[in-house]
Amino acid sequence: MFFHNKWIKRRKNMRKRIMVIDCSVNTLKTIKKLNIKVICIEKEQKKQLKDLMNSDDIYFEIDYKDITLLKKEVGKILIKYPVDAILSFTGDGQNAVVALQEEYPLNKYKQSDQIKLFKNQCNLRNLLNRNNFSYVHVKLINSKEALIEFANENGFPFILKPCIETGSKVAKKISTFKEVYELLDKENPATLIAEDYQEGVEISVETFSFNRKHYVVGITDKYTEPDFVTYGHSVPTTLNDELITEITLFVLDFLTLTGVVFGPCHIEIKMTAYGPKIIAAHCRTGGDQIVALHRFVSGVDLTQWTLDAIYTENWQKYDVSQQYRAAAVFYLRFQPNKKIKKLNFQNADETIVAYKCNIEEGVGTTETNSLKDEHGFIITKGRNVEEAVENCRLAIQTIEIEYAEGIFPDS
């Protein structure tokens, strides 16, 4: 208690500074554009990030997944360098934010309760079901018998995923008893949840909240493989005006029901025959270039809105200018376990807005199972969504790639 009182007292005379867990280069650029000092907490070295920091900024390498270590080290940092907010704009930094915000509360900027609710998919689903909102059959699977019971009672197909949200790559669609028994032969399905499979078009929605007032920033169309791995996004949505209105009201009701107070949210939805259904929700901006797509098309930078709101007593949504009519992003997926001999991007086409390749010549490729380990991306613009998506497909086809002879072994 002595430490907390000392820390809170120091906050009264704080400087314009924030702490960011797992900061990206783009996030840092936005922070610097607003002349805000930053403390970056990274679990591994990020040279490009360090090179962009000013003399007033501070960089620490701390394994933020070790919560005990993190709280101890950050406690020392905050005594010397008070901050106005502790944030993370990535899924990887969310647990760290929960621990630090609960240890060192920062009033209206606290998101830890929201993050914990959204990460625990069983608790979130039960809350929604109790309020008859986006109702789906769900069961906590803590034994083999519970899994078989759910299959018998609800039939197929259904989704099996961790109770604590860890990303779409571990969600499994179960369609037969054979798949149930095959899964049981491989693992003990403890701390999983089973829920109805939702048939329909999948979208995501970006929102922003300030003092419990909610705004829908935009709807993102999503392109996924049968195993739920996403390979692309586009904005604006191609849904008709009636569905856009339905989704907007649905999402605003969801944010109110779940008690969201402050900050950006990324909400994944299936448009089913029974209306929109919540698939997952996150108290952060959408990853994998979704923020960039909305910035290009609507002009809204959710990172900047978050920082503006922290330093504006009566923040209100403000108008921004549109850059492009439509934009799309596709993720690069090279052949796995190969060594790239030659890689050449043809960036002469003016429809390419941005691209990044995470694989260098002479380096081996890995198998991509989720967005976190994608090999890179290409963002293109268009006069409409269809053109932007087609430009993405064409741009990927222009990549010149030559693999070395033979298989490159896993390291």
Side-chain angles (χ1 to χ4, degrees):
M1 180 61 69
F2 171 75
F3 172 78
H4 280 204
N5 287 340
K6 182 178 180 181
W7 176 75
I8 292 169
K9 184 177 180 180
R10 290 290 300 272
R11 285 189 66 244
K12 293 179 180 179
N13 299 312
M14 68 180 67
R15 301 163 68 184
K16 192 175 181 182
R17 179 189 289 121
I18 62 172
M19 176 177 287
V20 179
I21 313 295
D22 190 26
C23 187
S24 71
V25 168
N26 286 336
T27 296
L28 181 59
K29 287 179 178 178
T30 301
I31 293 170
K32 301 327 299 171
K33 182 173 69 174
L34 299 175
N35 296 316
I36 298 171
K37 300 178 183 68
V38 63
I39 300 173
C40 291
I41 305 293
E42 308 298 330
K43 67 175 186 289
E44 56 192 23
Q45 188 177 97
K46 292 183 179 177
K47 185 178 184 303
Q48 191 178 2
L49 197 71
K50 293 174 74 173
D51 291 344
L52 289 172
M53 298 177 78
N54 298 334
S55 58
D56 286 334
D57 301 324
I58 308 168
Y59 178 98
F60 291 98
E61 283 183 29
I62 303 171
D63 182 2
Y64 52 74
K65 294 194 173 184
D66 183 339
I67 299 301
T68 301
L69 173 66
L70 177 71
K71 290 195 289 188
K72 178 182 176 182
E73 295 302 316
V74 168
K76 299 174 186 175
I77 294 167
L78 292 178
I79 289 177
K80 190 172 183 180
Y81 304 105
V83 299
D84 305 304
I86 300 172
L87 306 167
S88 179
F89 295 93
T90 70
D92 211 34
Q94 296 270 284
N95 287 336
V97 167
V98 169
L100 294 177
Q101 287 189 354
E102 291 186 339
E103 189 79 4
Y104 313 110
L106 290 165
N107 302 325
K108 62 185 177 183
Y109 312 126
K110 182 180 177 183
Q111 298 168 292
S112 56
D113 291 340
Q114 300 166 207
I115 294 172
K116 286 192 295 185
L117 174 62
F118 285 5
K119 272 191 163 293
N120 191 316
Q121 299 195 54
C122 193
N123 287 350
L124 175 61
R125 187 64 74 188
N126 287 335
L127 171 66
L128 299 179
N129 284 353
R130 285 197 303 272
N131 288 274
N132 199 28
F133 185 92
S134 183
Y135 188 94
V136 301
H137 293 105
V138 63
K139 184 179 183 69
L140 177 64
I141 306 299
N142 51 18
S143 68
K144 296 179 179 180
E145 292 73 22
L147 178 58
I148 295 172
E149 182 180 316
F150 183 87
N152 279 320
E153 290 179 353
N154 292 276
F156 300 97
F158 62 86
I159 295 295
L160 196 63
K161 58 186 180 181
C163 184
I164 304 301
E165 181 270 322
T166 55
S168 61
K169 72 175 182 178
V170 290
K172 298 178 181 178
K173 181 181 177 182
I174 307 295
S175 299
T176 65
F177 271 111
K178 180 182 177 183
E179 292 180 14
V180 171
Y181 293 122
E182 286 177 349
L183 184 141
L184 293 177
D185 286 340
K186 295 177 182 177
E187 56 185 284
N188 184 13
T191 63
L192 298 175
I193 61 170
E195 63 181 36
D196 293 339
Y197 173 73
Q198 305 301 320
E199 191 73 55
V201 175
E202 188 169 354
I203 60 169
S204 62
V205 182
E206 303 305 306
T207 70
F208 190 79
S209 302
F210 183 75
N211 287 344
R212 301 183 187 275
K213 187 171 184 179
H214 313 301
Y215 304 93
V216 171
V217 173
I219 300 171
T220 312
D221 288 349
K222 192 173 186 177
Y223 307 94
T224 58
E225 305 283 6
D227 59 359
F228 311 119
V229 172
T230 304
Y231 66 85
H233 298 279
S234 64
V235 295
T237 179
T238 54
L239 297 175
N240 62 44
D241 291 344
E242 183 179 348
L243 285 176
I244 291 173
T245 299
E246 180 182 5
I247 292 165
T248 299
L249 295 175
F250 174 81
V251 167
L252 294 177
D253 287 343
F254 170 78
L255 294 170
T256 300
L257 175 62
T258 54
V260 173
V261 177
F262 172 83
C265 286
H266 172 72
I267 303 164
E268 299 168 27
I269 294 172
K270 274 278 188 79
M271 298 302 297
T272 75
Y274 307 99
K277 298 285 186 179
I278 298 292
I279 301 300
H282 314 272
C283 289
R284 55 171 172 79
T285 55
D288 308 299
Q289 308 308 312
I290 289 177
V291 170
L293 290 184
H294 285 282
R295 186 174 68 248
F296 287 140
V297 173
S298 69
V300 173
D301 184 334
L302 279 166
T303 303
Q304 182 168 335
W305 274 24
T306 303
L307 300 174
D308 281 343
I310 288 172
Y311 291 104
T312 305
E313 187 65 30
N314 297 303
W315 183 90
Q316 304 221 353
K317 176 183 176 182
Y318 50 83
D319 293 331
V320 289
S321 58
Q322 182 186 56
Q323 284 186 266
Y324 310 123
R325 293 182 181 178
V329 60
F330 275 23
Y331 308 110
L332 305 181
R333 304 183 78 175
F334 300 130
Q335 292 181 30
N337 303 321
K338 296 284 189 178
K339 196 170 189 178
I340 293 180
K341 184 177 180 181
K342 178 184 178 184
L343 185 63
N344 185 30
F345 277 77
Q346 304 293 324
N347 197 26
D349 191 338
E350 63 178 13
T351 65
I352 298 177
V353 175
Y355 71 85
K356 181 181 179 183
C357 181
N358 298 324
I359 307 293
E360 299 177 357
E361 291 181 359
V363 176
T365 61
T366 57
E367 186 171 0
T368 58
N369 295 315
S370 72
L371 291 185
K372 282 186 77 69
D373 56 7
E374 288 296 338
H375 296 149
F377 66 85
I378 289 182
I379 299 178
T380 57
K381 63 181 179 179
R383 290 168 293 184
N384 51 53
V385 170
E386 291 78 9
E387 184 177 85
V389 169
E390 181 61 20
N391 287 339
C392 245
R393 297 187 194 278
L394 293 173
I396 287 178
Q397 291 174 14
T398 67
I399 299 173
E400 294 181 1
I401 181 167
E402 181 181 344
Y403 295 105
E405 293 292 330
I407 299 296
F408 184 77
D410 290 326
S411 56

